[in-house]
Amino acid sequence: MVTSGTLIAFAVVSLGMVCSPGPNMIYLISRSILQGRAAGVISLLGVILGFLIYIVATMFGLSALFLTVPFLYVLVKWAGAGYLLWLAWKAIKPGAVPIFAPKQSLSIDPPKKLFLMGLMTNLLNPKIALLYVSLLPQFVDPTRGSVLLQSAALGLTQITVSFTVNLLIVLAAIRIAEWFGTRPTWLRLQRWLMASVLTGLAARLAFERK
């Protein structure tokens, strides 16, 4: 079984990834601001289902598939880097609305659509794909018992960390938006900071060794 030290180390890695801006965070913040906390929580549940799907895929050989067909790994890596660069451009392009912009009028999406959008945002998130494909297997030790159970324990640890952090983000999004709304200079700075972080993540992802 996975040792407590391994679980703690993986939890720290998971915390670092969930705290860095990415598609999941952007979607949850924008949805919470535009439609309220309830919509943000429903969207978060969709994101969590995406994590569960990745856990099952990892347990049953997703990593092995990428090792067998290296081209698929390279394709996912470069597609992910391109996606992050696109998000960075969206943050700073002329007329772009910062994710912490004050609440605006918006047509209300039904819970089913919110849930599905959260799910698809996570499934198409290159950061999460690489977490499960590249990082999680490195914490599995075949000499310590069932690889399936170890993968499940690590995956559930990541889900717990991600759910806790993202729930706090959803609950605080409106208050943070109100704070930024009275400070336009900070709002512009937030846009450029978001773009810089996303660009850095894209560069790191593109040049990361297999």
Side-chain angles (χ1 to χ4, degrees):
M1 195 58 183
V2 183
T3 64
S4 58
T6 299
L7 286 177
I8 292 174
F10 189 69
V12 171
V13 172
S14 300
L15 179 62
M17 296 196 72
V18 74
C19 287
S20 63
N24 287 346
M25 181 184 292
I26 293 172
Y27 175 71
L28 291 174
I29 290 174
S30 60
R31 184 49 55 185
S32 299
I33 292 174
L34 294 172
Q35 198 170 327
R37 292 190 180 98
V41 172
I42 293 172
S43 301
L44 176 56
L45 294 178
V47 169
I48 295 302
L49 177 58
F51 286 134
L52 291 173
I53 292 174
Y54 269 117
I55 288 177
V56 173
T58 301
M59 290 170 62
F60 290 97
L62 183 62
S63 299
L65 174 63
F66 279 87
L67 288 174
T68 305
V69 189
F71 173 74
L72 290 179
Y73 178 87
V74 175
L75 184 63
V76 169
K77 184 174 73 170
W78 283 101
Y83 184 52
L84 291 174
L85 286 175
W86 179 69
L87 289 175
W89 165 245
K90 284 188 64 178
I92 60 173
K93 70 178 182 179
V97 179
I99 60 172
F100 285 116
K103 188 171 181 178
Q104 305 169 15
S105 60
L106 180 75
S107 58
I108 302 301
D109 288 333
K112 181 178 180 180
K113 184 175 181 180
L114 293 172
F115 183 85
L116 290 177
M117 285 296 295
L119 170 62
M120 295 309 300
T121 298
N122 197 20
L123 290 179
L124 297 176
N125 185 349
K127 185 171 66 172
I128 303 304
L130 289 178
L131 170 67
Y132 280 95
V133 172
S134 300
L135 293 179
L136 187 147
Q138 297 180 33
F139 289 84
V140 174
D141 184 357
T143 64
R144 300 194 65 86
S146 172
V147 171
L148 290 179
L149 291 179
Q150 290 185 63
S151 298
L154 291 168
L156 291 175
T157 298
Q158 186 272 331
I159 285 179
T160 300
V161 171
S162 182
F163 178 80
T164 302
V165 173
N166 281 317
L167 181 60
L168 293 174
I169 289 173
V170 166
L171 296 178
I174 295 177
R175 181 167 297 181
I176 295 174
E178 292 172 349
W179 188 90
F180 274 108
T182 60
R183 297 166 175 82
T185 300
W186 284 100
L187 199 59
R188 289 192 294 271
L189 179 62
Q190 176 264 317
R191 290 173 55 190
W192 283 95
L193 178 61
M194 175 72 72
S196 300
V197 172
L198 290 172
T199 301
L201 288 172
R204 180 179 179 181
L205 179 60
F207 296 104
E208 182 181 42
R209 295 185 61 185
K210 181 178 178 183

